[in-house]
Amino acid sequence: DQQVKQNSPSLSVQEGRISILNCDYTNSMFDYFLWYKKYPAEGPTFLISISSIKDKNEDGRFTVFLNKSAKHLSLHIVPSQPGDSAVYFCAASAGGGSQGNLIFGKGTKLSVKP
Amino acid sequence: EAGVAQSPRYKIIEKRQSVAFWCNPISGHATLYWYQQILGQGPKLLIQFQNNGVVDDSQLPKDRFSAERLKGVDSTLKIQPAKLEDSAVYLCASSLSPGVYWGNTGELFFGEGSRLTVL
């Protein structure tokens, strides 16, 4: 039973355009959400996070939106750059953000074409 | 600041053999995690340490997997005997502490991983 779902295995976007990566979750106890980025042969690196008390968090070109009623979050990258090409993982945790209980989605591979 | 160090990067073994992975977390990070990432899947938590005590090992297959964190710093993850389905990347991660609090995003810092192939 997948509690965190990333239904798009891949996404291709032109440089300079917006990239939108989607994530759905089923567990209503999740109260903290994170996005990680992973390059080949490297470990995942933290990108941005959002608490369930917010509906938006912004950091430079990256914005995460949370829709609790729909149990859906999305990551927007504007403008997209070739260096953004990587696998993006959505992750969620319950219980006040106890990070050890991070549940990851399967990831979405983003390709940004010059 | 040095990141999370893991070794070996790659390991190929026959089924039923044993293997051990080593992790050195970021200095000062009290919490250490081992994740298993099977090809095409997201990372799955195997075990979480707080200092040298186990916080969560509910998803660790204890009949074949073991982990320890002596002196609350380095950690080793051992698989004995290995099965074909253990082929995966084993990721070590560390954080200042579990949980989110003011000034801390609670993010995990991952190492590059150890890729295990079981033949």
Side-chain angles (χ1 to χ4, degrees), chain A:
Chain A
D1 178 32
Q2 258 193 294
Q3 298 186 66
V4 177
K5 300 177 184 178
Q6 293 179 259
N7 292 318
S8 297
S10 62
L11 175 67
S12 184
V13 171
Q14 205 68 30
E15 181 179 6
R17 306 294 291 268
I18 184 172
S19 295
I20 300 176
L21 296 94
N22 294 304
C23 178
D24 297 293
Y25 61 96
T26 57
N27 189 340
S28 58
M29 298 299 292
F30 287 148
D31 57 5
Y32 196 70
F33 305 89
L34 306 91
W35 285 92
Y36 281 81
K37 179 170 72 174
K38 186 182 184 301
Y39 293 117
E42 294 184 11
T45 56
F46 171 77
L47 193 56
I48 192 168
S49 62
I50 187 166
S51 165
S52 60
I53 63 174
K54 296 184 176 181
D55 54 20
K56 176 183 174 181
N57 189 25
E58 193 172 353
D59 184 2
R61 296 186 296 115
F62 303 90
T63 303
V64 56
F65 296 91
L66 175 62
N67 182 334
K68 284 185 293 183
S69 60
K71 293 191 176 68
H72 176 84
L73 63 156
S74 61
L75 174 68
H76 292 210
I77 307 174
V78 182
S80 301
Q81 299 173 355
D84 296 329
S85 297
V87 177
Y88 290 78
F89 290 99
C90 172
S93 72
S98 175
Q99 297 307 299
N101 293 326
L102 276 184
I103 307 297
F104 284 83
K106 291 185 177 182
T108 296
K109 183 176 182 179
L110 173 65
S111 299
V112 180
K113 299 183 178 180

Side-chain angles (χ1 to χ4, degrees), chain B residues 62-83:
Chain B
K62 298 180 186 65
D63 58 334
R64 298 182 300 105
F65 286 65
S66 65
E68 60 181 8
R69 189 183 185 196
L70 299 176
K71 300 181 181 179
V73 182
D74 293 4
S75 177
T76 55
L77 175 70
K78 296 179 182 177
I79 308 174
Q80 182 180 14
K83 291 185 175 181

Side-chain angles (χ1 to χ4, degrees), chain A residues 32 36 41 43 46 89 97 99-100 105, chain B residues 9 37 42 45 48 99 105-106 108 111:
Chain A
Y32 196 70
Y36 281 81
F46 171 77
F89 290 99
Q99 297 307 299
Chain B
R9 289 294 310 277
Q37 185 178 12
L45 179 68
Q48 175 186 352
T105 60
L108 273 63

Side-chain angles (χ1 to χ4, degrees), chain B residues 6 12 24 41 46-47 51 59 63 76 83 91 101 104-105 112:
Chain B
Q6 290 189 247
I12 301 174
N24 180 241
Q41 305 286 323
L46 292 176
I47 189 167
N51 296 310
Q59 299 189 90
D63 58 334
T76 55
K83 291 185 175 181
L91 294 161
Y101 54 90
N104 176 25
T105 60
E112 293 179 321

